[in-house]
Amino acid sequence: SISSCTIHSEQAWYGDGVYLNGAQGVTIANNTIYSNGDGVSVSGSSKTIISANQIHDNAGNGIFLTVASIQNSLILNAIYNGATGIDVASGGQNVIANNVIHDNTNDGGGIDVGSDGNTILSNEVYSNEYEGIGIDGKYNLLISNNSHGTTGSSDGFDLSGGPNTIIGGSAYSNTGDGLSINNTGSVVADFSVGYSSAGAAWPDSSGEVLLTFNPSQGKFVRVRINPSPGPGIDATMLTAGNGLIS
């Protein structure tokens, strides 16, 4: 395990703070990791626990999973002032939970998931320059995540891949749309757009929900959408089976 260390200043050599390749069962916990390439890079590894680290001011990703990294747990980390906060480029069955991710500046935004079958749970994602949470893979489960305050005309949630499932959480006060879905078959339930997790009205700048697919192929259930000041949702795109509550 790697714990209670300060790991820094590999950035000049494009080196990562922590790099795992083909490892299994490693714990990386309670470290401060800064001024590196990627903060933590995990390649072809499984059952890694990355927990309660302060990961900041790295030139690359805060945490990067690649080359079929599976069954890893990324929990309770604070990740800020880097490129992308968490980038899951490859691998599935990973858990991303209870992280605070903010002020990252790359086009991956706060959390960027390009693979299938991951669980993204109870993360607080805010003030990232690009999308808060971007999903390019499919069959991912997003539960009780909050994404707000993006900059750079970016969306709170951007589901380009799919289908995926969102249950609970909120998107608000983003400079783009609160929720953008460009796939078929995704389900969104018990979710708020343009309202904070506490219920306060905080509209998204471009609009609240952007659907670029036939919504009859997806489903909205108990979704609360702020109607002002931008467009809430194009009601003509909805069918009765979507069960939208605005």
Side-chain angles (χ1 to χ4, degrees):
S1 66
I2 302 170
S3 63
S4 302
C5 297
T6 299
I7 302 168
H8 65 94
S9 301
E10 294 295 330
Q11 188 178 104
W13 302 100
Y14 300 97
D16 303 322
V18 177
Y19 177 65
L20 302 180
N21 186 4
Q24 183 173 3
V26 175
T27 296
I28 302 167
N30 298 299
N31 301 287
T32 299
I33 303 171
Y34 66 93
S35 294
N36 305 290
D38 292 330
V40 180
S41 182
V42 178
S43 176
S45 299
S46 63
K47 299 181 180 178
T48 300
I49 299 174
I50 304 173
S51 174
N53 299 283
Q54 294 283 328
I55 303 173
H56 64 90
D57 294 283
N58 294 288
N61 306 292
I63 300 174
F64 183 42
L65 302 187
T66 188
V67 190
S69 290
I70 62 171
Q71 299 177 354
N72 301 288
S73 298
L74 286 54
I75 55 176
L76 295 169
N77 299 285
I79 305 173
Y80 54 95
N81 292 347
T84 299
I86 294 175
D87 185 352
V88 181
S90 177
Q93 303 176 58
N94 300 293
V95 175
I96 302 169
N98 297 109
N99 300 284
V100 177
I101 303 170
H102 63 92
D103 292 286
N104 297 289
T105 59
N106 198 22
D107 59 5
I111 298 175
D112 187 19
V113 176
S115 63
D116 305 337
N118 302 284
T119 299
I120 301 99
L121 170 67
S122 297
N123 298 282
E124 193 72 21
V125 182
Y126 63 92
S127 298
N128 295 286
E129 187 170 345
Y130 294 91
E131 74 260 19
I133 299 176
I135 308 294
D136 297 315
K138 59 184 181 293
Y139 308 124
N140 294 288
L141 176 61
L142 293 81
I143 303 174
S144 299
N145 299 283
N146 299 310
S147 179
H148 53 97
T150 59
T151 61
S153 299
S154 299
D155 303 329
F157 287 74
D158 184 352
L159 274 62
S160 296
N164 294 287
T165 300
I166 296 178
I167 301 174
S170 63
Y172 61 95
S173 194
N174 296 289
T175 54
D177 298 303
L179 172 63
S180 175
I181 302 179
N182 182 21
N183 63 74
T184 59
S186 285
V187 175
V188 182
D190 298 308
F191 188 74
S192 295
V193 193
Y195 295 96
S196 73
S197 53
W202 287 95
D204 297 284
S205 296
S206 293
E208 299 305 344
V209 178
L210 175 64
L211 303 179
T212 52
F213 68 100
N214 182 346
S216 66
Q217 296 174 300
K219 190 168 183 64
F220 277 41
V221 180
R222 295 181 299 276
V223 177
R224 186 185 187 199
I225 298 176
N226 192 324
S228 177
I233 194 167
D234 183 353
T236 63
M237 295 178 65
L238 296 172
T239 64
N242 286 89
L244 177 70
I245 297 177
S246 59

